[in-house]
């Protein structure tokens, strides 16, 4: 009569007492006051519409993108800090609240993503803030750098939660062979708040 996500046992423990959970809504603000020197590398420049990267017209979303080491090195990247990236938006943009960006190295032999068994652990969070995307270049400046080893593929994980959906965002991308992007949307379960009696 009941289905409990990610539970396979026969007895499910619960409580009849009020749980007191703590939710951390803190976000990390990064102010870029000046740039003395930086190197920018273009990975996958293109104009193919990518409407599913961050579906701001949904209440929530989760996306993963795989960049192969060969793509990164072909663009000129070498091992070291990745301090942010620029995403190109083709339309007027939109807002994603509680945008989190996480990254990790992944096996050099992994060249496609699996929807059946996505990677859910092992990430380093590099960005956590509301973001309003606009037409053109959108700089996502990390609050902590991701240190690329120079040989591994890189898996980037995006997630967001919008209490109120925004406008759809269309990003510019390229066609690739293999499954290089996974996304899910509306995995928002419930919004609990203060209710009158």
């Amino acid at each position: 009569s009941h289905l409990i996500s990610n539970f396979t046992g026969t007895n499910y423990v619960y409580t009849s007492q009020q749980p007191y959970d703590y939710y951390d809504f803190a976000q990390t603000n990064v102010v870029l006051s000046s740039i003395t020197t930086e190197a920018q590398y273009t990975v996958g420049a293109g104009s193919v519409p990518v409407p599913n990267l961050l579906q701001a017209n949904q209440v929530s979303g989760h996306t993963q993108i795989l960049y192969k080491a060969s793509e990164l090195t072909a663009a000129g990247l070498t091992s070291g800090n990745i301090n942010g990236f620029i995403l190109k938006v083709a339309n007027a943009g939109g807002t994603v609240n509680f945008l989190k960006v996480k990254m990790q190295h992944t096996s050099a032999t992994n060249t496609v993503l699996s929807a059946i068994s996505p990677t859910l652990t092992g990430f380093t969070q590099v960005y956590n803030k509301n973001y309003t995307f606009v037409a053109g270049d959108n700089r996502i400046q990390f609050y902590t750098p991701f240190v690329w080893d120079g040989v591994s593929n890189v898996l980037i994980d995006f997630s967001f939660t919008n209490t109120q959906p925004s406008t759809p965002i269309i990003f510019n991308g390229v066609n690739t062979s293999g499954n290089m992007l996974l996304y899910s949307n509306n995995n928002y379960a419930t919004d609990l708040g203060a209710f009158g009696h």
Side-chain angles (χ1 to χ4, degrees), residues 17-165:
Q17 303 300 312
Q18 171 70 43
Y20 293 96
D21 292 338
Y22 171 74
Y23 296 94
D24 184 2
F25 293 107
Q27 297 187 4
T28 306
N29 191 32
V30 176
V31 176
L32 190 60
S33 56
S34 66
I35 298 173
T36 304
T37 180
E38 77 173 350
Q40 291 187 1
Y41 305 94
T42 303
V43 181
S47 58
V48 176
V50 182
N52 299 322
L53 177 59
L54 293 170
Q55 295 183 322
N57 58 321
Q58 305 292 327
V59 291
S60 68
H62 201 130
T63 303
Q64 291 185 349
I65 300 175
L66 177 68
Y67 281 101
K68 294 186 279 188
S70 58
E71 294 175 296
L72 301 176
T73 55
L77 270 79
T78 56
S79 61
N81 288 356
I82 298 175
N83 295 303
F85 46 71
I86 295 173
L87 298 174
K88 292 192 177 283
V89 172
N91 66 348
T95 299
V96 288
N97 290 311
F98 299 101
L99 174 62
K100 291 184 180 179
V101 179
K102 301 174 184 177
M103 300 172 72
Q104 72 169 280
H105 294 105
T106 187
S107 168
T109 59
N110 181 15
T111 56
V112 294
L113 297 176
S114 169
I116 296 171
S117 58
T119 302
L120 302 175
T121 60
F123 289 95
T124 298
Q125 184 170 287
V126 295
Y127 186 87
N128 174 21
K129 191 161 181 6
N130 298 342
Y131 196 94
T132 299
F133 288 89
V134 296
D137 291 350
N138 292 265
R139 184 181 189 117
I140 306 294
Q141 186 68 43
F142 300 165
Y143 66 80
T144 187
F146 177 76
V147 184
W148 184 46
D149 63 13
V151 294
S152 298
N153 296 338
V154 175
L155 184 60
I156 304 174
D157 183 276
F158 296 91
S159 63
F160 71 91
T161 302
N162 280 345
T163 302
Q164 294 296 321

